[in-house]
């Protein structure tokens, strides 16, 4: 059975100030063409269909168009909700839409109920595990402590229990939206840390033939059977070196996996350039970057006059301007943003405690801070979904 694995469409999202809806529409067309030309038997969409719980109307219309075009192909599609989606909104009409071959899996309670498709070698069971927010699903899965590994392991227990009841030789595929250990994050994914931990081990997916993952925006192979497709378009300059693609996966009669990447159309290359303003304007090695979307980091010791206007004369698609004067890390003039770069909310809070009282928090106080951040983040999820 030939599968096309994609995820993280983020319909409705912009790239800095650039509206990406046209590029997203082009990707949907490319997806449909790929399904037709490669004889794909099933399409897998592993979450973050939309960029936010209440997407703009234009994004909903594009999603509607995608559903119709996929249904017209007569090729089944299995789709789960991600942490950016409203599971309840995305799942509206799932039963009816399923009759057209578009199988939306947004209910955590249904993770052990597969979509079963068949080929000449027998059945393949597709299990959809939507994004499992630990604070919201721990009771459903009967776990004592809300954590990503605990709830995902409990969901996979249901998958394996169902699989054990099926005919010998039934192959299995899981769609999941999670941060798996070994994956490389970018700046454009929303933080899902709970209790100081965001990642789960790849071993949680043991027992299935293929795990089609979503959440991380770079295409990655965690193991031969556990892969991220990545987002089809870039959504931050941290993705400058990404090759945007989908996985074309062959699942043979014994459940062995072979996979190849199918490149996605990207509207414009990304480039990060760094130096003083005068260096960037004069450097002949930057000719290739003149047509790219550019993030320019200026290292001038004093902010130059009209830097964006002057940069745009040479690099007309400059979207981001960063000032980072080259100073020693202990220089008192180092910016607040630079001092905080790469630090988690927990680390910043602990540093603040140490600053105001002369000693950092002990283990009990660290736990209180973690619980506070987890509670706030979970509350934000609940309020966003309830909108």
């Amino acid at each position: 059975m030939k599968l096309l694995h994609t995820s993280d469409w983020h319909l409705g999202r912009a790239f800095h100030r650039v509206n990406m809806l046209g590029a997203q529409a082009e990707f949907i067309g490319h997806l449909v063409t790929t399904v037709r030309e490669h004889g794909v038997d099933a399409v897998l969409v592993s979450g973050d269909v939309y960029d936010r719980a209440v997407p703009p109307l234009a994004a909903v219309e594009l999603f509607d168009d995608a559903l119709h075009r996929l249904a017209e192909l007569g090729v089944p599609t299995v789709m789960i909700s991600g942490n950016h989606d409203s599971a309840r909104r995305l799942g509206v009409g799932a039963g009816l839409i399923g009759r057209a071959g578009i199988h939306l899996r947004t209910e955590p309670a249904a993770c052990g109920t597969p979509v079963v498709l068949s080929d000449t070698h027998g059945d393949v069971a597709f299990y959809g595990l939507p994004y499992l927010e630990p604070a919201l699903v721990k009771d459903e899965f009967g776990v004592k402590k809300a954590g990503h590994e605990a709830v995902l392991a409990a969901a996979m227990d249901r998958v394996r229990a169902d699989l054990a009841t099926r005919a010998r030789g039934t192959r299995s595929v899981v769609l999941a939206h999670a941060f798996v250990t070994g994956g490389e994050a970018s700046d454009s994914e929303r933080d899902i840390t709970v209790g100081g931990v965001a990642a789960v081990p790849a071993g949680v997916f043991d027992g299935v033939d293929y795990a089609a993952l979503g959440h991380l925006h770079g295409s990655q192979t965690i193991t031969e059977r556990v892969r991220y497709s990545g987002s089809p378009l870039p959504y931050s300059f941290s993705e400058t070196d990404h090759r945007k693609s989908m996985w074309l996966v062959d699942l043979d009669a014994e459940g062995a996996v072979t996979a190849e990447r199918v490149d996605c159309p990207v509207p414009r290359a990304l480039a990060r350039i760094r130096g003083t303003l005068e260096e960037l304007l004069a450097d002949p090695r930057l000719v290739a970057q003149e047509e790219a979307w550019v993030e320019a980091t200026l290292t001038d010791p004093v902010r130059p006059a009209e830097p964006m206007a002057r940069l745009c004369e040479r690099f007309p698609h400059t979207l981001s301007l960063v000032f980072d004067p080259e100073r020693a890390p202990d220089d008192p003039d180092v910016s607040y943003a630079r001092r905080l770069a790469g630090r988690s909310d927990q680390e910043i809070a602990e540093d603040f405690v140490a600053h105001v009282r002369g000693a950092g928090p002990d283990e009990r106080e660290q736990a209180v801070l973690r619980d506070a951040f987890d509670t706030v983040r979970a509350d934000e999820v609940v309020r966003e979904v309830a909108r």
Side-chain angles (χ1 to χ4, degrees):
M1 186 172 286
K2 187 170 289 187
L3 315 173
L4 186 63
H5 168 199
T6 178
S7 72
D8 295 274
W9 296 357
H10 289 279
L11 301 182
R13 185 166 184 163
F15 181 71
H16 290 264
R17 61 178 181 270
V18 177
N19 186 322
M20 296 291 277
L21 205 65
Q24 291 168 340
E26 185 178 356
F27 161 69
I28 296 299
H30 171 69
L31 172 71
V32 171
T33 299
T34 300
V35 171
R36 185 185 300 114
E37 292 183 350
H38 288 269
V40 169
D41 298 303
V43 177
L44 313 179
V45 186
S46 298
D48 282 354
V49 175
Y50 291 121
D51 188 56
R52 55 182 185 268
V54 185
L57 179 58
V60 177
E61 291 173 340
L62 179 55
F63 178 61
D64 180 66
D65 177 64
L67 293 184
H68 279 84
R69 295 175 72 178
L70 288 169
E72 287 171 2
L73 290 172
V75 175
T77 297
V78 185
M79 183 178 296
I80 63 173
S81 50
N83 62 300
H84 280 250
D85 299 309
S86 166
R88 293 174 65 184
R89 284 188 172 86
L90 188 64
V92 168
L96 185 61
I97 295 171
R99 297 180 186 178
I102 309 294
H103 304 281
L104 299 173
R105 290 295 184 263
T106 63
E107 290 291 335
C111 65
T113 304
V115 176
V116 180
L117 305 177
S118 300
D119 61 11
T120 56
H121 304 295
D123 290 344
V124 181
F126 293 84
Y127 298 89
L129 277 56
Y131 172 67
L132 303 174
E133 173 59 44
L136 303 184
V137 302
K138 66 182 181 68
D139 293 337
E140 166 64 35
F141 291 108
V143 299
K144 294 181 179 179
K145 186 175 180 180
H148 289 292
E149 183 175 356
V151 297
L152 194 54
M156 283 300 301
D157 285 344
R158 293 189 184 184
V159 168
R160 284 184 281 265
D162 179 84
L163 193 56
T165 68
R166 300 194 173 271
R168 184 178 178 85
T170 298
R171 290 156 290 165
S172 55
V173 175
V174 164
L175 290 77
H177 198 85
F179 190 162
V180 174
T181 303
E184 183 178 342
S186 65
D187 293 343
S188 53
E189 299 109 6
R190 183 179 294 169
D191 182 25
I192 59 171
T193 301
V194 173
V197 179
V200 300
V204 77
F205 298 107
D206 287 351
V208 298
D209 294 311
Y210 185 68
L213 301 182
H215 180 57
L216 300 184
H217 288 182
S219 178
Q220 300 170 61
T221 300
I222 306 301
T223 72
E224 287 303 306
R225 296 185 182 274
V226 181
R227 298 172 187 264
Y228 283 99
S229 67
S231 62
L233 293 166
Y235 294 113
S236 73
F237 277 103
S238 65
E239 301 169 56
T240 297
D241 295 328
H242 286 190
R243 174 187 164 194
K244 295 302 182 182
S245 59
M246 303 177 284
W247 284 112
L248 191 62
V249 178
D250 274 308
L251 195 63
D252 76 7
E254 305 302 321
V257 170
T258 57
E260 63 176 297
R261 292 172 72 177
V262 178
D263 290 331
C264 295
V266 176
R268 194 175 294 277
L270 307 186
R272 278 177 153 171
I273 58 178
R274 180 185 178 90
T276 66
L277 179 58
E278 296 302 328
E279 288 171 346
L280 297 182
L281 294 177
D283 192 340
R285 295 170 298 177
L286 299 180
V287 171
Q289 285 74 23
E290 292 176 357
E291 294 304 316
W293 280 325
V294 168
E295 178 182 76
T297 299
L298 299 185
T299 60
D300 301 75
V302 177
R303 185 172 302 208
E306 300 182 330
M308 180 62 89
R310 294 172 66 190
L311 276 169
C312 285
E313 290 178 1
R314 182 179 185 187
F315 307 102
H317 306 288
T318 302
L319 300 180
S320 176
L321 186 57
V322 179
F323 293 97
D324 187 21
E326 292 183 344
R327 298 188 177 105
D330 57 352
D331 189 317
D333 290 331
V334 170
S335 72
Y336 182 69
R338 184 173 175 182
R339 293 199 302 271
L340 299 186
R343 302 182 67 77
S344 68
D345 291 342
Q346 178 85 16
E347 291 170 328
I348 293 168
E350 290 178 7
D351 285 351
F352 176 76
V353 172
H355 174 72
V356 297
R357 77 176 186 192
D362 58 27
E363 290 185 5
R364 182 186 62 81
E365 292 167 331
Q366 289 174 347
V368 169
L369 288 170
R370 272 195 302 272
D371 289 343
F373 285 122
D374 289 348
T375 299
V376 169
R377 193 183 55 79
D379 182 63
E380 288 175 347
V381 172
V382 172
R383 284 188 287 107
E384 184 170 359
V385 170
R387 287 173 58 195

